[in-house]
Amino acid sequence: MAKNTLSFVCQNCGAAYNRWQGKCDACGEWNTLAEEDATGSVPVSIRSKRKGRTFALESLAGKSPDAPRLSSGMTELDRVTGGGFVRGSVLLVGGDPGIGKSTLLTQATSMLARAGHRIVYISGEEAVAQVRLRAERLGLSDAPVQLAAETSVEDIVSTLSEGAVPRLIVIDSIQTMWTDTVESAPGTVTQVRASAQALIRFAKKTGAAIILVGHVTKDGQIAGPRVVEHMVDAVLSFEGEGSQQFRILRAVKNRFGPTDEIGVFEMTGLGLREVTNPSELFLSERDLGTPGTAVFAGIEGTRPVLVELQALVAPTSLGTPRRAVVGWDPSRLSMVLAVLEAHCGVKLSGHDVYLNVAGGLRIHEPAADLAAAAALVSSLVNAQLPTDAVYFGEISLSGVVRPVAQTPARLKEAAKLGFSRAVLPESARGEAGGDAGLALNAVNSLTTLVAEIAARGSRRGDANAPAEKNATPARFRRGEG
Ligand code: TYD
Ligand code: MG
């Protein structure tokens, strides 16, 4: 039988090679390949000598002894997990160091322990005293969480096999764990994978839910072990801008729930506070009356979220103008710019373009196209958009504004937050219903919107000039040489 010869594994990304080389072709890192037992972590004695045992096959309709999900009591966390931690499942929580992973999990575990569940918190990074100190700061010292500072997976599994099965076990972090079955150092791909495997086996066997904490590399991947992402049931990513208080928990993968939900938190001096109405938070520091800002009525999962898009369009001094975007897809921005150039006569090739989503939110919806276009044109012609309007709609390559899902939910949220008009796709007007509570400005092509903003610009620029009804490309050529 052919022997599996892939035995050199990159300790950064997990790519396997059959001979040593200095640079990993997959991730480009140098000197990260280490020799690994090609057969993985299963000892030879077990592999070759063990005879298969028989096991009982079961039906789909079997009853579990306990509720299948364990609700954490934190609405924002439960929303992202899809209603709580599933029995026997393993969840990976990734995020930059210092973002608040340990804080979040300390809070969640304390609440569960107070509710009478057996909860274990294993810290591989901090000493027991440090974890206690955090709990004290959070006012959770009285919660009966079972705590230990341990890093050996074998010891952890033996300890937890005794007594009642814990409902939830937190391993903070998986990169600090090590197992005897493999020889590499803790933190290497081999160790992390073997440790995760052992813990996953334990979870499936006993029905305990396990949360693994994972660090994130500078390029946003859960460090080293991408492999772990494939092994676990759910991957949550905890994100936020260092300078801001908002933290967003997002499901990247979830076998038991949706992947488009977000949970919003605010880091305070007393730990993480749940933000039940994120729109209020994202709009709290609005720059009212500045050209180049538009409010986007978006949907994150099942929840409407209003957020401000900020654009800056300025004449460039470079041969190739800059396009920088934070919080949105750069290729989506390029597309909107191309449509503006091709169909609306808006010349942007001589301008640097910056687009920012306020509050550190990351938008994935194409529905933000219309708001982005409005912000860009508003900045270019230096005309402020109405401060009481929200925008949403997808822009097609032909410049048509296409309808998007969940129009009523977007309008309802906008009305709730005191907005009085919405700029939306023509075809969504019917869906909106008569009593949206907002004045609806339906546009069917981007040209119409550009013309309206340009008219505002010219009214502002010259009070005596009649408002222009059509886009005047001349206005947009400002600053071009
Ligand atoms: P931590 O949960 O230790 O982050 P992680 O486990 O993701 O590395 O959070 C550390 C940061 O959070 C630290 O900069 C201090 C801050 N923090 C607060 O602002 N308030 C608090 O109540 C706590 C416990 C931490
Ligand atoms: Mg931590």
Side-chain angles (χ1 to χ4, degrees), residues 210-221:
I210 297 189
I211 300 180
L212 304 176
V213 174
H215 294 294
V216 161
T217 52
K218 46 190 178 313
D219 52 352
Q221 292 182 352

Side-chain angles (χ1 to χ4, degrees), residues 245-465:
Q245 305 316 111
F246 321 133
R247 300 283 183 271
I248 292 165
L249 187 67
R250 188 184 287 284
V252 180
K253 158 184 170 175
N254 195 348
R255 285 188 185 146
F256 308 111
T259 51
D260 49 3
E261 291 285 1
I262 60 167
V264 185
F265 298 88
E266 185 184 2
M267 182 61 97
T268 69
L270 294 171
L272 289 160
R273 189 179 69 80
E274 295 182 69
V275 177
T276 39
N277 191 344
S279 304
E280 261 166 34
L281 185 78
F282 292 128
L283 296 180
S284 59
E285 281 159 36
R286 264 182 86 193
D287 260 343
L288 287 173
T290 326
T293 65
V295 175
F296 166 52
I299 298 277
E300 288 287 343
T302 51
R303 182 163 54 167
V305 173
L306 302 193
V307 62
E308 187 180 73
L309 300 192
Q310 305 165 341
L312 178 63
V313 177
T316 186
S317 53
L318 303 167
T320 315
R322 253 170 193 283
R323 267 92 181 95
V325 47
V326 178
W328 202 41
D329 183 1
S331 51
R332 210 72 216 168
L333 173 66
S334 308
M335 198 207 81
V336 170
L337 294 177
V339 173
L340 282 171
E341 291 235 31
H343 296 290
C344 313
V346 180
K347 293 277 173 271
L348 289 157
S349 50
H351 290 79
D352 289 334
V353 173
Y354 303 90
L355 189 77
N356 178 39
V357 179
L361 189 67
R362 202 165 286 280
I363 300 179
H364 300 277
E365 273 191 291
D369 290 353
L370 197 65
L376 290 167
V377 177
S378 151
S379 172
L380 178 70
V381 302
N382 198 25
Q384 178 198 333
L385 296 172
T387 51
D388 60 345
V390 296
Y391 295 76
F392 61 90
E394 181 180 343
I395 295 170
S396 74
L397 285 178
S398 57
V400 172
V401 180
R402 293 163 43 85
V404 294
Q406 307 203 42
T407 299
R410 296 174 202 266
L411 294 176
K412 212 168 126 206
E413 179 78 358
K416 198 170 97 192
L417 285 161
F419 287 85
S420 51
R421 51 180 132 168
V423 181
L424 74 179
E426 176 75 61
S427 37
R429 198 206 291 265
E431 209 191 316
D435 52 345
L438 297 170
L440 303 182
N441 178 5
V443 288
N444 57 8
S445 87
L446 189 54
T447 323
T448 323
L449 179 72
V450 170
E452 279 171 18
I453 300 173
R456 293 179 73 87
S458 33
R459 267 203 299 275
R460 218 184 74 110
D462 179 359
N464 300 323

